[in-house]
Amino acid sequence: GDGGGTWYIDLKTEGGSAGFGKPPVTADVIMSMSSADFVKMFTGKLKPTLAFMSGKLRIKGNMTLAIKLEKML
């Protein structure tokens, strides 16, 4: 969507990092969603579990790590 793109959060390397574009390491979890739904989710207007169950949030990879990330955010 408008203003979207590919973003990453790297929690594998010491110190971690976050940014726009291709991640510096291979991802264990890939999450995809529209820009509008992302904003809703991170402003508390859309619960991550509901977004996933309704197909607005797609997750590929290690589901256990995805759940840990939800708790951390």
Side-chain angles (χ1 to χ4, degrees):
D2 292 341
T6 300
W7 293 83
Y8 68 87
I9 300 172
D10 173 14
L11 301 175
K12 291 168 106 176
T13 57
E14 187 174 335
S17 64
F20 182 77
K22 185 177 178 189
V25 295
T26 303
D28 292 320
V29 178
I30 298 174
M31 298 180 181
S32 303
M33 66 187 326
S34 73
S35 299
D37 288 334
F38 177 83
V39 171
K40 287 177 188 174
M41 191 170 73
F42 281 89
T43 57
K45 295 176 183 171
L46 176 63
K47 299 213 180 267
T49 303
L50 179 60
F52 177 74
M53 298 301 274
S54 65
K56 293 180 179 185
L57 170 62
R58 293 167 303 284
I59 300 174
K60 294 180 186 175
N62 188 324
M63 192 62 76
T64 303
L65 291 177
I67 292 167
K68 286 182 180 181
L69 183 59
E70 176 190 357
K71 290 178 184 177
M72 185 183 83
L73 296 173

